[in-house]
Amino acid sequence: MSSHSPQNNKPDLDTPEHIAVFVESFYECLLNDDRLAPIFTDVANIDIREHFPRIRAYWEKLLLGKNDYHRHTMNIHRELNAKQALLDEDFKQWLDYFIYVADRDFSGQKTERAKQIATTISQNMRKVIDLA
Ligand code: HEM
């Protein structure tokens, strides 16, 4: 059952469909940003058809307890950081878009949880990618 917050009628990030909509909108921001887009398109050279299902599966695991994501996210960003250093400003921008899209389009417990997790993991990632 998906829930809508009574105050504002925005959906929560509580179904795979809502998570898919969130990921689309979040990446629309990332891929239109002059600072971040080249990291995806030039440095990592992502194939969006492979990338989106992974991002969706990642958030379905963290928010819905699904178990379809089994990759080492930290190592993937460590390798990315070795190709092009990810800076504090990059992390700030990434997180700003995440919170902006989450608050703009969604509301509820899972949405709050998603923002908390993104904040914690980005801080943690910022630290560990520089460690050997
Ligand atoms: C400076 C901030 C960030 C940038 C520029 C960034 C960029 C990227 C790029 C370019 C990829 C594709 C890597 C590849 O396929 O080789 C990727 C993958 C991914 N990122 Fe990030 N990322 C950032 C922060 C984060 C954070 C904080 C999280 C989690 C909260 C996250 C979650 C993921 C996930 C789940 C993948 C998919 C990895 C896979 O292929 O399984 N990213 N990111």
Side-chain angles (χ1 to χ4, degrees), residues 38-49:
I39 303 177
F40 288 88
T41 55
D42 303 345
V43 183
N45 201 7
I46 55 160
D47 180 339
I48 215 83
R49 287 162 304 182

Side-chain angles (χ1 to χ4, degrees), residues 36 39-40 44 46 51 54-55 58-59 69 71 73 76-77 80 86 90-91 94 118 121-122 125:
L36 296 178
I39 303 177
F40 288 88
I46 55 160
H51 188 69
R54 286 177 190 153
I55 301 294
Y58 179 80
W59 286 104
Y69 184 85
R71 290 158 63 85
T73 317
I76 289 166
H77 290 82
L80 187 62
L86 300 177
D90 299 327
F91 280 98
W94 186 99
I121 295 180
S122 67
M125 190 181 278

